Amino acid sequence: MAVPSITRSDQGLPAALADATRDETALRRFLHGLPGVDQVGAEQRAAGLATRSIKKASKLWAIDTAITMIDLTTLEGADTVGKVRSLCAKARRPDPERPDVPQVAAICVYPDLVPTAVDALRGTQINIASVATAFPSGRASLAVKVADTESAVEAGATEIDMVIDRGAFLSGRYGQVFDEIRAIKAACGETHLKVILETGELVTYDNVRRASWLALLAGGDFIKTSTGKVSPAATLPVTHVMLQAVRDWHTATGELRGVKPAGGIRNTKDAIRYLVAVHEVAGPQWLSPNLFRIGASSLLNDLLMQRRTQLEGHYSGPDYVTVD
């Protein structure tokens, strides 16, 4: 493994972590030396936390917090300029009748639609995320992946969601995956990098833990569960494992890194379960869009309907919110 020159993530790391990036052998030794994940324990804890109830005042706070964490996403082959503009309008003003509803964290689109989002979101603090690196397969040359990233950044993307080569990871070519993340991070410059693990294809929780640490060692600002194109996408137990990784990274290094579950989170009840997991597994410091995001397309509508219910005392149907 040809490790690129030292970057931000190497400086000041504990010796054990710095040594892990020295070469392929050291990286493999480190990743396979991580504690194994107790599958039964992880799933039982996730199920237990999912039963937590939240009272009315806290539920309204949770709904608004979840809204601020949404990466409002459209990643379809049929996406158009008009659809992206409509989604950006919704991001700016989620509920047109209620200006107190917070804005979402970001819009997530394909690279060719970044200029449309930049124009539509001008003057706001909403981030513009773009998928890159041969999304969703991750099967392309490094040169193509870097060019894809640079194109999105030059167009105005403030966040890049890259996808790892799962074939390389599952074949044990950890150095290749590490080098690609490093190269994409370099291409991002100051743009934040989210590393998509596609956990549904990683098979085991141990692999999810290894991939999480690999992405963190390589400089990813966020680790993300899924492209949303593979089933299963985000799950609570997998998200628990990833939250443990960023918590332990912070304990070891003092650096804060984020987590983004994406795909399959469609209603308020699910969103609140993820917020409970963040609080209990990583800690309350992660209850911020700077450190936790939810990749979603349909979730926002349900959050808005449930918010109206909390404030008005009766259920508001989908006719009261804009259609994506």
Side-chain angles (χ1 to χ4, degrees), residues 229-247:
K229 306 297 184 184
V230 170
S231 182
T235 69
L236 276 168
V238 158
T239 303
H240 276 229
V241 173
M242 294 168 67
L243 288 166
Q244 290 167 2
V246 297
R247 178 201 64 199

Side-chain angles (χ1 to χ4, degrees), residues 50-70:
T51 64
R52 295 275 182 90
S53 61
I54 294 181
K55 298 185 184 299
K56 182 172 182 179
S58 296
K59 187 171 183 180
L60 183 60
W61 173 87
I63 289 171
D64 280 358
T65 299
I67 291 172
T68 69
M69 294 173 168
I70 288 179

